[in-house]
Amino acid sequence: MLRPLYCCLLRLHPSGFRTRFADEMLSIFDHAAGRAAAFRLLLDGFLSLARQWTLRPEFWHELSSAPQTASDGIPSFYTIDPFRPRAGAVIHGLVLSAAVFCLTCFAIKYSWIRVLHVRIPEVQFDSPRSIQSNAGREASEKAPVPPHSVGKQSIAIPSASVSAVKAPRYDLPASIAAQNSFVQSPTTGTPESQVSSGTQPAVEVAGQPRRGLLRAPVKPRDSQPSPLLSRSVSHQPQAQQMKPQNATSEDSPSAKLDAAQRQRVIEGAIAKVKVHYAYPDVAQKMADALLAYMNSGDDDSVTDGEAFADVLTKQMRDVSHDAHLIVVYSRDTIPAHSAGATREILAPYQKKLEQNNCYFEKVTILPHNIGYLKLNSFPDPSICQPTAKAAMASLNHADAIIFDLRDNTGGYPGMVTLIAAYLFDHPEYLYNPRDNTTQQSWTRSPVPGNRLADKPVYVLTSASTFSGAEQFSYDLKMLRRATLVGETTRGEAHAGSWHQIDDHFGIGIPDTRPINPFSTADWEGTGVEPDVKVNAATALDTAEKLAEKKLQKK
Amino acid sequence: MKDDVTSFLPLSPAALHILLSLAADDLHGYAIMQEVARQSQGKYKLGPGTLYDNLQRLIQRQWVQELGRRPAGDDPRRRYYSLTSLGRGVLAAETARLAGVVREARLRLQMAKPRRA
């Protein structure tokens, strides 16, 4: 029993001493008769160990090596420990490290990340600003989030109250927006305060832009724009319609722009674009183009604010070919940031959600125990989380689940993540083209008590499936978690954030380039292709049949 | 050379005993321990830790060398050590020094005796 201990002691000695004397010392130990002698030797071993390590640094290495000097007098290098492992040990080590490597890969692949509490670093392209804005966003998320993006057809300018709070990244159903009065600025209470810019404002406060949804006008893809499309897209005519009203009703000091004002706006726009645009080289080209136009006098004829904004927008888009860049003019002075109106804005939206059961239009179990959820929006999770949880709970025992998003016009990515969480048994990354990766990008799977993680999922889409609903469809399709049945979706993916230039001008700049883990392109302009292409009207029947077939196979 | 040798003096008891035990014969470590014990009538016992610590220093100073050959049938783990000529010189110098010390001591003690008596 003492011999292994003595062996260990010898092994702990410095390598030079060990290689030279360990065997002999062991042979002496073997000669020792009696326990007392063995204990004495053990004690001696301890003392020797301490002595060798503390008092004999010169013998830590191989004894024979009187420092070798190279021919030119500079000491040559010699290895610290000439000990070479056996070939067998090397092979063992190789096999063991390969096994550990495979195990680690396996763990990463199956996302034991949550279990291991490994924090995935956030992907940041332009770190200082993104971090700031993320920090700002996180802070503001604690407060109830007002539904900025409601105004699909006419979105509020960054008025005091609207700008005070964080904007959601998706749009709410047009139906709410159409009836909603809260898009009007509560401070002025006038509908005229709206500029149909398609811009979702989140005003820059103290040099820190709050990120919001910028709904840049989408060019209609088909010749017959749906009512929704026409509402959401055709901001130009509305803006012009509004002009006379405003002109008569308002004293607008900057209605006529002079050269100095124009120059100030252009310089402001250039500064914002250079700082915030996701592609610095393109930003530089745009800046050059704007200056060239200004210097050549092309802008001189434009004295109307809105027209000037349009001219600048066009000049920038000509260079960048980015339809999400937009300069916006507001006849009203864009107020500085002021807090406090959050509740007022939120109240009508909240009421609306309550009246509509948070747009969970239908939750039922179809024949063959197929769960069916018709969801017409992805509403604010801070309000509708209980509803969503209840809906998913009522479908918990279904053998398959059909999400009907044919009339879904988008909403909050938080709700997309919340619902998708039920479909996975491990945290899954959901790509959102409007936002850099955050913790919210990961589903909080597994959901306790949930049984849907391995059930077949069908998503019904139509040509009006929009925005956040497209994110839901796209991510589930890319993750091969759902079968999409129906029509190609609308194709609304990108957004930018709002930056204020001066009292009347603002600019929407796409400033994020999150990495799409699935493909180089997302669904912007093209829509999400369904797996099974059928007319939207027959999508439910088709999906039911597919689900039945799948369940029968089991 | 002589100066080099004397600069190492006096030797530590362990080093002295090891050199002394190797002076008569080439020995392995365990034999050195036994020889040291015998020389001192069992009063000075060298542990293997101390023995090999000293041996490695003696080897490095090239007072002692390790022998390649060993008697047939012996424990293969054992190594045999012998005194080099340098080591022998050092031992001689130390012995001479000690002799001087002893002589001096005897002289003093003899001088002291009558005083005490």
Side-chain angles (χ1 to χ4, degrees):
Chain A
M1 193 208 89
L2 292 172
R3 193 176 186 275
L5 194 60
Y6 195 67
C7 285
C8 286
L9 266 180
L10 293 179
R11 259 177 188 279
L12 290 173
H13 276 71
S15 65
F17 187 87
R18 189 178 62 225
T19 47
R20 184 123 198 177
F21 301 117
D23 280 351
E24 288 181 78
M25 288 174 77
L26 198 60
S27 83
I28 290 171
F29 186 88
D30 293 341
H31 272 100
R35 271 182 102 72
F39 271 113
R40 250 199 320 275
L41 286 175
L42 215 57
L43 182 69
D44 176 75
F46 269 114
L47 289 173
S48 163
L49 183 66
R51 180 169 45 227
Q52 292 303 323
W53 278 115
T54 53
L55 302 175
R56 306 280 183 266
E58 70 271 27
F59 296 127
W60 284 354
H61 312 309
E62 195 55 73
L63 198 62
S64 61
S65 59
Q68 298 157 357
T69 45
S71 53
D72 56 358
I74 300 165
S76 62
F77 294 99
Y78 46 93
T79 53
I80 288 172
D81 188 350
F83 170 72
R84 276 173 199 277
R86 290 172 294 117
V90 172
I91 293 167
H92 272 124
L94 268 174
V95 170
L96 198 69
S97 42
V100 169
F101 179 76
C102 290
L103 204 70
T104 311
C105 291
F106 186 81
I108 290 169
K109 161 119 169 112
Y110 290 97
S111 298
W112 294 351
I113 287 154
R114 190 186 53 80
V115 182
L116 299 173
H117 296 290
V118 176
R119 193 177 135 66
I120 303 274
E122 209 170 290
V123 179
Q124 296 286 358
F125 289 98
D126 33 14
S127 37
R129 186 168 51 83
S130 302
I131 289 164
Q132 277 181 354
S133 58
N134 282 343
R137 194 183 319 147
E138 276 163 26
S140 62
E141 266 163 11
K142 283 171 192 157
V145 179
H148 292 276
S149 47
V150 165
K152 204 166 253 183
Q153 71 282 48
S154 60
I155 288 178
I157 60 149
S159 64
S161 48
V162 172
S163 61
V165 282
K166 170 192 165 270
R169 252 77 68 199
Y170 286 126
D171 316 279
L172 291 164
S175 51
I176 331 172
Q179 305 147 22
N180 239 322
S181 57
F182 67 80
V183 287
Q184 297 169 11
S185 165
T187 46
T188 60
T190 55
E192 285 83 359
S193 66
Q194 299 168 11
V195 167
S196 66
S197 60
T199 306
Q200 190 45 52
V203 157
E204 184 178 34
V205 180
Q208 248 188 48
R210 298 259 183 131
R211 300 162 53 77
L213 171 71
L214 172 72
R215 167 168 296 300
V218 179
K219 283 168 193 146
R221 277 186 292 117
D222 37 39
S223 52
Q224 297 168 310
S226 70
L228 187 62
L229 186 64
S230 63
R231 273 207 301 270
S232 66
V233 162
S234 59
H235 68 288
Q236 234 74 321
Q238 281 183 3
Q240 279 150 17
Q241 281 161 18
M242 255 189 261
K243 206 190 312 174
Q245 286 181 341
N246 284 334
T248 51
S249 64
E250 294 248 356
D251 170 37
S252 44
S254 56
K256 295 277 176 210
L257 292 172
D258 60 28
Q261 280 170 315
R262 277 198 299 270
Q263 186 175 349
R264 206 180 58 231
V265 172
I266 289 172
E267 280 165 0
I270 288 173
K272 296 290 180 199
V273 162
K274 276 189 177 171
V275 174
H276 298 293
Y277 193 52
Y279 304 89
D281 50 332
V282 181
Q284 184 58 48
K285 279 185 197 164
M286 284 194 287
D288 295 344
L290 287 177
L291 284 175
Y293 280 119
M294 184 177 77
N295 294 334
S296 67
D298 285 2
D299 302 337
D300 291 354
S301 58
V302 190
T303 55
D304 177 75
E306 272 160 30
F308 184 56
D310 290 343
V311 165
L312 292 185
T313 303
K314 187 177 177 304
Q315 288 172 355
M316 287 197 294
R317 287 188 193 170
D318 282 349
V319 177
S320 63
H321 307 288
D322 188 337
H324 299 278
L325 271 164
I326 184 167
V327 178
V328 179
Y329 171 74
S330 161
R331 205 157 292 273
D332 287 342
T333 302
I334 301 171
H337 167 76
S338 73
T342 312
R343 289 273 163 211
E344 295 164 45
I345 306 176
L346 202 59
Y349 172 63
Q350 202 162 354
K351 203 173 158 199
K352 205 87 204 164
L353 288 175
E354 278 160 16
Q355 283 168 1
N356 287 301
N357 191 36
C358 285
Y359 295 93
F360 283 75
E361 191 182 297
K362 196 173 177 188
V363 185
T364 183
I365 301 287
L366 300 173
H368 303 283
N369 197 24
I370 299 168
Y372 174 79
L373 169 60
K374 181 160 171 61
L375 185 59
N376 290 347
S377 170
F378 285 91
D380 187 349
S382 65
I383 299 167
C384 289
Q385 189 170 5
T387 315
K389 281 185 169 170
M392 294 312 290
S394 69
L395 299 175
N396 199 22
H397 292 273
D399 291 329
I401 185 161
I402 296 175
F403 289 97
D404 189 345
L405 306 182
R406 287 176 294 180
D407 296 320
N408 192 308
T409 47
Y412 289 71
M415 182 57 88
V416 171
T417 316
L418 179 74
I419 293 179
Y422 287 87
L423 306 178
F424 299 99
D425 57 4
H426 57 272
E428 194 57 79
Y429 176 74
L430 294 186
Y431 167 66
N432 174 3
R434 295 180 188 178
D435 231 334
N436 281 327
T437 306
T438 65
Q439 276 184 327
Q440 280 201 327
S441 310
W442 292 83
T443 64
R444 298 200 169 193
S445 312
V447 180
N450 172 49
R451 297 160 54 110
L452 297 170
D454 57 348
K455 301 291 191 302
V457 176
Y458 299 86
V459 177
L460 309 186
T461 58
S462 76
S464 354
T465 303
F466 201 59
S467 188
E470 295 181 274
Q471 188 209 349
F472 187 82
S473 313
Y474 179 84
D475 284 332
L476 290 187
K477 180 185 171 183
M478 288 300 158
L479 293 166
R480 297 174 201 279
R481 182 63 191 91
T483 310
L484 270 53
V485 181
E487 297 167 346
T488 304
T489 62
R490 173 71 59 73
E492 172 61 36
H494 293 168
S497 54
W498 168 263
H499 303 276
Q500 192 170 346
I501 295 174
D502 66 3
D503 284 351
H504 296 272
F505 283 91
I507 184 165
I509 303 173
D511 60 354
T512 52
R513 275 187 301 177
I515 292 174
N516 184 344
F518 308 122
S519 154
T520 47
D522 48 38
W523 63 92
E524 174 69 20
T526 57
V528 183
E529 289 274 332
D531 299 303
V532 181
K533 219 166 189 172
V534 293
N535 197 307
T538 62
L540 179 56
D541 290 339
T542 312
E544 271 192 83
K545 277 176 197 153
L546 286 171
E548 275 171 40
K549 239 185 232 174
K550 182 136 193 174
L551 293 177
Q552 275 166 10
K553 265 188 204 169
K554 276 189 175 176
Chain B
M1 194 66 175
K2 200 108 194 173
D3 291 343
D4 281 348
V5 169
T6 47
S7 69
F8 290 110
L9 304 183
L11 294 176
S12 71
L16 176 64
H17 277 291
I18 293 168
L19 291 179
L20 206 53
S21 59
L22 288 174
D25 201 359
D26 300 343
L27 297 174
H28 55 76
Y30 187 55
I32 295 174
M33 283 167 62
Q34 287 173 323
E35 174 64 18
V36 169
R38 192 197 61 76
Q39 283 170 8
S40 62
Q41 284 95 43
K43 284 181 186 145
Y44 187 66
K45 275 188 179 162
L46 210 55
T50 317
L51 167 68
Y52 288 111
D53 175 51
N54 278 283
L55 263 183
Q56 80 174 344
R57 271 190 300 175
L58 297 179
I59 290 170
Q60 204 223 3
R61 290 175 186 173
Q62 296 177 347
W63 295 354
V64 169
Q65 66 188 358
E66 194 189 320
L67 295 176
R69 61 175 201 285
R70 62 166 62 91
D74 199 14
D75 187 341
R77 291 176 298 182
R78 281 181 181 166
R79 298 188 194 189
Y80 282 76
Y81 301 93
S82 75
L83 217 53
T84 62
S85 53
L86 181 61
R88 208 167 281 278
V90 171
L91 183 60
E94 175 71 353
T95 312
R97 188 188 68 82
L98 283 174
V101 169
V102 170
R103 196 173 53 242
E104 189 72 8
R106 282 198 179 130
L107 198 62
R108 293 293 165 95
L109 288 171
Q110 276 168 7
M111 280 168 66
K113 253 181 193 169
R115 228 188 278 169
R116 226 187 257 169

